[in-house]
Amino acid sequence: MSNFLHGRHASLKAYVPGEQPTDQQYIKLNTNESPYPPLPEVVAAATAEAANCHLYSDPKGTVLRRRLAARYGVKPEQIILGNGSDEILSFAFQAYGGPDAPVAFPDISYGFYPVYADLYGIPKVIVPLKDDFTVDTEAFMGVDTAMVVIANPNAPTGLALPLEVIAHICESNPGSVVLIDEAYVDFGGESAVSLLAGHPNLLVVQTFSKSRSLAGGRLGYGIASTEIIADLNRIKYSTNPYNINRMTLAAGAATLDRDEVCTARCAEIAQTRAYTAEALRALGFTLTDSVANFLFARPADGNAEGMYAALRERGILVRYFSGERVREYLRITVGTRAQMDALLTAIREIEHAN
Ligand SMILES: *Cc1c(COP(=O)(O)O)cnc(C)c1O
């Protein structure tokens, strides 16, 4: 830190992304990426668009927004594109939070929520998950903060709330924006987009990163009322109007052209998830019933950190969190069947060595 940094950032704890190592080839099961690369036509569309990079990208993302609007049965004015869904989250925290406008979210959830709150000077109302790692939905009813943020399915637990509960949270907080972060919805959750018509305070956030093989392209979007999207655009046009580059806009549209492939890949991952969960249970692990593209798994001895390190030595990366309630668990991305077999083989070796 330099002497120049403003004092308000002195104690800011930045988000720590999962490792993207460059020292060797790992089986990467640590950041919930897709194991399947983008389709050749997606790569071709992005490559072709590179030839136009002397010109700025369309700040409105008109083509892609129109396509997403058709996909979700909403108007294009109800959609905003982000440089990853992280940017949509950032816009929303800036738009609705403030020193006098707190934001509520669960204690165990996406690690970026408290970071944005701290960065923007927003008081946090932290609602602990229940002992079984489910969201304490009662505690969110009438919580009366400026915004409520819930990942559904939640990370790192993989557990999802039914839509009736989301509707209820919206209805019991009419003065709050309710942001539902659906980064993992395509792997087995139910999207709250269908609730938008009757719930003017609902903001649904999705991403191309996990279910559409485009994590490195950085493309997310928010869907809400035209008024909420106008609020978010106010922040976007005050920070970075050209937030999505040309290649990514083209890749996103080409990906939507082949949405059926993404759907099939998600189904494949759901099958591999069930296979891996069963095998891990047979090895003594305790797991939540994840409907996401990752498993949240506790080794029999609770030594998740040791298991993380032993897997790393064998070239397999998983995610370990040191937080008090989660430190006995690993978050393991569901990859291909072959990757999961390599994981299971390594775990058997590690368990034998102990
Ligand atoms: C991965 C993730 C995001 C962010 O994804 P982007 O790559 O920025 O689109 C947002 N929310 C949750 C819960 C995530 O796991």
Side-chain angles (χ1 to χ4, degrees), residues 15 31-32 82-87 89 109-113 151-155 181-184 205-210 214-215 218-221 294 331:
Y15 179 70
T31 48
N32 298 344
N83 193 305
S85 55
D86 285 340
E87 190 178 45
L89 299 174
S109 191
Y110 187 37
F112 231 129
Y113 306 150
N152 194 41
N154 195 17
D181 180 346
E182 296 188 338
Y184 300 105
V205 177
Q206 293 196 4
T207 177
F208 280 69
S209 290
K210 278 76 185 226
L214 222 53
R218 311 304 303 126
L219 185 60
Y221 49 100
F294 55 81
R331 193 196 67 190

Side-chain angles (χ1 to χ4, degrees), residues 94-164:
Q94 291 179 79
Y96 302 111
D100 59 348
V103 173
F105 46 85
D107 62 339
I108 298 168
S109 191
Y110 187 37
F112 231 129
Y113 306 150
V115 175
Y116 282 136
D118 291 345
L119 177 62
Y120 301 130
I122 303 167
K124 305 180 286 269
V125 173
I126 294 183
V127 179
L129 295 186
K130 295 188 196 165
D131 286 340
D132 63 358
F133 290 123
T134 57
V135 172
D136 185 355
T137 54
E138 283 303 310
F140 281 103
M141 303 294 173
V143 67
D144 200 28
T145 50
M147 184 163 73
V148 170
V149 182
I150 296 177
N152 194 41
N154 195 17
T157 63
L159 297 174
L161 293 174
L163 287 189
E164 309 88 79

Side-chain angles (χ1 to χ4, degrees), residues 152-153 158 160-161 184-191 266-267 270 273 290-293:
N152 194 41
L161 293 174
Y184 300 105
V185 73
D186 297 328
F187 300 101
E190 251 185 312
S191 176
C266 289
R273 176 180 70 212
S290 171
V291 295
N293 68 336

